[in-house]
Amino acid sequence: MKNILVTGGAGFIGSNFIRYWLINHPEDKIVNLDVLTYAGNLENLKDIEKNPNYAFIKGDITDKETVDRAMKGIDTVVHFAAESHVDRSILEPEAFVRTNVLGTQVLLDAAREHNVKRFHHVSTDEVFGMIPLDREDRWTESSPYQPRSPYSASKAAADHLVRAYRVTYKVPVTISNCSNNIGPYQFPEKLVPLAITNLMEGKKVPIYGEGNQVREWLYVEDHNRAIDIILLKGSLGETYFIGPNHPEITNLRLVKKILKLMGKGEDMIEYVKDRPGHDQKYALDWGKIKGELEWEPENDLDASLQKTIDWYKVNEDWWRRVKSGKYREYYKKQYS
Ligand code: NAD
Ligand code: TYD
């Protein structure tokens, strides 16, 4: 039986992880430590809040006392908490450094003091920078870090701290760097849920620049299953890439796919000002996790998009509440 501390469990991937874990490991106990920023939403966990194996602590990962309290009796940490949106990091980088860098260091210190058996750090492909569009290569776990946005720089710093705590203090860490995720409960500021919900509201989908950038899109449950396998079979100190297996796809082609699946025309695309320093392409070679830990994604891109669209159609109340209020102010600042 595991006692797991999940950080950032009220966000998109963390809430899906907690649900996945309680279904697949009903004997384990989970404590969710989340400060509930604009991206943290306890509605994401409504169906499990009364589960006796689940407890929530509202608190900040940069606050040593709170983290110390949350870490009591914990043997496994799965660290999702972060500021996660590139565009917000360009507007206001400070919170990214505070949460993503300082927060990770505070957690690592507490994990060390409490002798946890595993500290799993959830990271992103973006720390490796960008691959130019005319190149076919893919990053591997030993590629150099070359972050280019405040978000990716703060996540890179966190990854380095995790690696350093392994070398210096022998903290039993593992790291995963995953591609872009899609699925239920994703805050509608990221491209896919923004596109789906805008179309449901009769609004156009904003495409930055010409939409020729390339990303890789993984269904969130495949990500969480990979973390499960890393916790079970991963080697301490190792980094594992997690990604999907669809052919290269530009943002424009992805949005056109969503339009088609939702029965909308291409007149619903609106080309807007490009993101400063927009990374052209991310591409991961995830042969290591496939070869060593026998993980592969189960959902292809079409199935992942269809399931995601279906979820947003059924859960209109959820995203309409999220899209109202504070999100509106941010939306204006970003797109006006
Ligand atoms: P999210 O923005 O949806 O959720 C982040 C959660 O962290 C929120 O619940 C928020 O309240 C919480 N949080 C933020 N600051 C905190 C603090 N100081 N103390 C405690 N809690 C805090 O993010 P997400 O998309 O679910 O991403 C989760 C993790 O996965 C992040 O570390 C991100 O870098 C990584 N990741 C995300 C993607 C993606 O496509 N979304 C891809 C690869 C990796
Ligand atoms: P996003 O979902 O923000 O993830 P990330 O920047 O972490 O990859 O963006 C995915 C891609 O879509 C990225 O190339 C930026 C682009 N994009 C748009 O074209 N329009 C938008 O409104 C948003 C939010 C993103």
Side-chain angles (χ1 to χ4, degrees):
M1 192 200 92
K2 283 188 170 62
N3 284 300
I4 306 178
L5 175 66
V6 172
T7 70
F12 162 46
I13 307 176
S15 61
N16 279 286
F17 177 83
I18 293 174
R19 182 170 297 101
Y20 165 93
W21 200 274
L22 290 172
I23 291 169
N24 289 284
H25 304 275
E27 67 288 1
D28 292 348
K29 291 192 185 322
I30 291 189
V31 174
N32 172 17
L33 173 63
D34 196 304
V35 78
L36 302 180
T37 65
Y38 78 93
N41 184 350
L42 287 179
E43 278 187 34
N44 300 2
L45 294 159
K46 235 178 175 169
D47 52 326
I48 52 164
E49 66 192 3
K50 296 205 169 69
N51 186 312
N53 285 346
Y54 168 76
F56 172 66
I57 299 177
K58 183 176 186 303
D60 194 320
I61 58 164
T62 65
D63 176 21
K64 283 186 193 172
E65 274 175 33
T66 305
V67 167
D68 184 60
R69 187 161 58 89
M71 202 73 79
K72 289 210 166 75
I74 293 297
D75 48 62
T76 305
V77 177
V78 184
H79 174 32
F80 293 97
E83 289 291 340
S84 69
H85 190 41
V86 174
D87 294 320
R88 285 180 189 263
S89 83
I90 294 168
L91 293 171
E92 284 172 33
E94 192 178 321
F96 287 73
V97 175
R98 216 178 66 81
T99 288
N100 300 0
V101 186
L102 179 63
T104 300
Q105 182 257 318
V106 169
L107 284 166
L108 284 164
D109 270 346
R112 192 179 148 218
E113 274 155 32
H114 288 264
N115 286 315
V116 302
K117 293 204 193 84
R118 177 70 71 89
F119 184 99
H120 184 72
H121 174 63
V122 179
S123 191
T124 169
D125 53 3
E126 309 193 20
V127 297
F128 298 97
M130 73 165 207
I131 298 169
L133 287 175
D134 58 359
R135 274 195 3 222
E136 293 298 312
D137 48 320
R138 294 182 160 269
W139 292 311
T140 68
E141 285 83 353
S142 51
S143 293
Y145 276 59
Q146 291 181 326
R148 295 164 29 91
S149 75
Y151 166 63
S152 54
S154 66
K155 290 295 290 186
D159 290 17
H160 288 314
L161 280 168
V162 176
R163 289 173 177 209
Y165 270 61
R166 173 70 192 152
V167 175
T168 309
Y169 306 113
K170 307 282 179 285
V171 176
V173 306
T174 41
I175 299 178
S176 52
N177 296 84
C178 189
S179 62
N180 289 44
N181 282 213
I182 53 175
Y185 300 105
Q186 186 167 29
F187 196 87
E189 64 184 350
K190 307 273 165 68
L191 179 61
V192 169
L194 179 77
I196 296 169
T197 57
N198 271 15
L199 291 171
M200 287 179 71
E201 289 178 305
K203 290 189 197 154
K204 295 191 177 193
V205 180
I207 294 260
Y208 296 163
E210 293 169 11
N212 59 353
Q213 298 78 18
V214 172
R215 297 288 184 270
E216 298 188 303
W217 304 93
L218 183 72
Y219 197 62
V220 63
E221 195 170 301
D222 281 323
H223 183 181
N224 286 329
R225 204 168 37 79
I227 295 173
D228 187 355
I229 292 172
I230 295 169
L231 288 176
L232 189 70
K233 301 199 274 184
S235 300
L236 297 184
E238 290 296 312
T239 293
Y240 298 93
F241 280 2
I242 306 169
N245 73 36
H246 58 75
E248 188 168 302
I249 186 163
T250 62
N251 292 340
L252 183 58
R253 276 193 49 220
L254 181 86
V255 167
K256 285 185 179 174
K257 247 181 194 295
I258 295 172
L259 289 169
K260 204 164 167 203
L261 287 169
M262 294 185 68
K264 307 281 181 186
E266 291 180 15
D267 56 316
M268 293 306 281
I269 292 174
E270 184 176 18
Y271 293 92
V272 300
K273 188 166 61 76
D274 207 354
R275 171 186 284 173
H278 199 165
D279 290 340
Q280 290 179 4
K281 177 158 86 167
Y282 306 143
L284 294 179
D285 173 349
W286 44 271
K288 178 175 171 181
I289 191 170
K290 184 179 179 188
E292 292 181 15
L293 309 186
E294 295 173 66
W295 173 89
E296 272 190 87
E298 285 176 356
N299 298 278
D300 66 20
L301 180 58
D302 284 350
S304 306
L305 283 173
Q306 188 63 63
K307 281 203 240 184
T308 305
I309 292 168
D310 291 346
W311 187 87
Y312 280 84
K313 279 189 179 161
V314 172
N315 293 281
E316 198 168 333
D317 284 356
W318 179 89
W319 63 257
R320 283 197 185 276
R321 277 196 293 278
V322 170
K323 263 192 156 180
S324 62
K326 278 201 163 172
Y327 180 76
R328 281 245 166 82
E329 289 164 29
Y330 162 73
Y331 196 94
K332 262 197 210 150
K333 210 165 159 189
Q334 178 65 16
Y335 294 106
S336 59

